[in-house]
Short mmCIF file of all heavy atoms in Angstrom, two decimals:
data_model
loop_
_atom_site.label_atom_id
_atom_site.label_comp_id
_atom_site.label_asym_id
_atom_site.label_seq_id
_atom_site.Cartn_x
_atom_site.Cartn_y
_atom_site.Cartn_z
N MET A 1 -6.85 8.44 16.00
CA MET A 1 -5.43 8.42 16.27
C MET A 1 -4.88 6.92 16.51
O MET A 1 -3.89 6.54 16.00
CB MET A 1 -5.00 9.31 17.46
CG MET A 1 -3.58 9.38 17.47
SD MET A 1 -2.75 10.06 16.12
CE MET A 1 -1.60 11.24 16.76
N GLU A 2 -5.70 6.23 17.23
CA GLU A 2 -5.35 4.85 17.52
C GLU A 2 -5.21 4.06 16.19
O GLU A 2 -4.30 3.18 16.01
CB GLU A 2 -6.34 4.19 18.43
CG GLU A 2 -6.11 2.79 18.78
CD GLU A 2 -7.12 2.08 19.66
OE1 GLU A 2 -7.85 2.90 20.45
OE2 GLU A 2 -7.26 0.96 19.61
N LEU A 3 -6.18 4.20 15.40
CA LEU A 3 -6.12 3.57 14.06
C LEU A 3 -4.90 3.94 13.29
O LEU A 3 -4.19 3.06 12.71
CB LEU A 3 -7.36 3.84 13.19
CG LEU A 3 -7.21 3.36 11.70
CD1 LEU A 3 -7.18 1.72 11.70
CD2 LEU A 3 -8.47 3.80 10.95
N MET A 4 -4.54 5.15 13.20
CA MET A 4 -3.38 5.64 12.56
C MET A 4 -2.07 4.98 13.12
O MET A 4 -1.26 4.50 12.31
CB MET A 4 -3.24 7.14 12.64
CG MET A 4 -2.20 7.78 11.76
SD MET A 4 -2.55 7.56 10.05
CE MET A 4 -4.01 8.54 9.82
N LEU A 5 -2.03 4.85 14.38
CA LEU A 5 -0.87 4.26 15.01
C LEU A 5 -0.82 2.69 14.61
O LEU A 5 0.36 2.19 14.43
CB LEU A 5 -0.79 4.44 16.55
CG LEU A 5 -0.64 5.83 16.98
CD1 LEU A 5 -0.85 5.94 18.51
CD2 LEU A 5 0.70 6.34 16.58
N LYS A 6 -1.99 2.07 14.69
CA LYS A 6 -1.99 0.60 14.19
C LYS A 6 -1.49 0.53 12.88
O LYS A 6 -0.75 -0.36 12.44
CB LYS A 6 -3.48 0.16 14.31
CG LYS A 6 -3.79 -0.18 15.70
CD LYS A 6 -5.22 -0.80 15.74
CE LYS A 6 -5.66 -1.02 17.22
NZ LYS A 6 -7.05 -1.56 17.15
N LEU A 7 -1.99 1.35 11.94
CA LEU A 7 -1.62 1.35 10.54
C LEU A 7 -0.17 1.62 10.29
O LEU A 7 0.55 0.81 9.60
CB LEU A 7 -2.47 2.28 9.73
CG LEU A 7 -3.92 1.88 9.38
CD1 LEU A 7 -4.67 3.02 8.82
CD2 LEU A 7 -3.93 0.75 8.59
N ILE A 8 0.39 2.63 10.94
CA ILE A 8 1.77 2.85 10.82
C ILE A 8 2.67 1.82 11.34
O ILE A 8 3.61 1.33 10.70
CB ILE A 8 2.16 4.24 11.54
CG1 ILE A 8 1.51 5.41 10.71
CG2 ILE A 8 3.60 4.40 11.55
CD1 ILE A 8 1.57 6.76 11.36
N SER A 9 2.32 1.20 12.46
CA SER A 9 3.16 0.05 13.02
C SER A 9 2.97 -1.13 12.15
O SER A 9 3.95 -1.84 11.86
CB SER A 9 2.67 -0.38 14.49
OG SER A 9 1.31 -0.85 14.46
N THR A 10 1.78 -1.40 11.47
CA THR A 10 1.76 -2.46 10.54
C THR A 10 2.56 -2.18 9.32
O THR A 10 3.26 -3.09 8.66
CB THR A 10 0.25 -2.54 9.99
OG1 THR A 10 -0.58 -2.85 11.20
CG2 THR A 10 0.04 -3.74 9.03
N PHE A 11 2.68 -0.91 8.86
CA PHE A 11 3.51 -0.58 7.62
C PHE A 11 5.02 -0.80 7.89
O PHE A 11 5.70 -0.93 6.95
CB PHE A 11 3.25 0.91 7.24
CG PHE A 11 1.80 1.08 6.74
CD1 PHE A 11 1.08 2.17 7.11
CD2 PHE A 11 1.20 0.09 5.76
CE1 PHE A 11 -0.21 2.36 6.50
CE2 PHE A 11 -0.06 0.44 5.30
CZ PHE A 11 -0.69 1.52 5.75
N LEU A 32 -3.35 -6.39 6.93
CA LEU A 32 -3.87 -5.03 6.67
C LEU A 32 -5.30 -5.12 6.26
O LEU A 32 -6.14 -4.26 6.67
CB LEU A 32 -3.05 -4.37 5.56
CG LEU A 32 -1.76 -3.66 5.96
CD1 LEU A 32 -0.91 -3.36 4.80
CD2 LEU A 32 -2.09 -2.50 6.78
N LEU A 35 -7.35 -5.33 9.26
CA LEU A 35 -7.39 -4.07 10.02
C LEU A 35 -8.25 -3.08 9.36
O LEU A 35 -9.04 -2.31 9.98
CB LEU A 35 -5.98 -3.55 10.12
CG LEU A 35 -5.70 -2.32 10.92
CD1 LEU A 35 -6.14 -2.41 12.39
CD2 LEU A 35 -4.28 -1.86 10.77
N TYR A 39 -12.61 0.28 8.83
CA TYR A 39 -12.23 1.73 8.72
C TYR A 39 -12.18 2.25 7.32
O TYR A 39 -12.31 3.42 7.13
CB TYR A 39 -10.77 1.90 9.39
CG TYR A 39 -10.77 1.58 10.83
CD1 TYR A 39 -10.27 0.36 11.24
CD2 TYR A 39 -11.35 2.43 11.83
CE1 TYR A 39 -10.21 -0.02 12.57
CE2 TYR A 39 -11.25 2.09 13.13
CZ TYR A 39 -10.70 0.84 13.50
OH TYR A 39 -10.74 0.49 14.85
#
Side-chain angles (χ1 to χ4, degrees):
M1 186 60 138
E2 181 182 335
L3 171 63
M4 190 64 68
L5 292 176
K6 284 182 184 179
L7 287 171
I8 290 171
S9 67
T10 302
F11 293 134
L32 278 170
L35 181 63
Y39 299 101

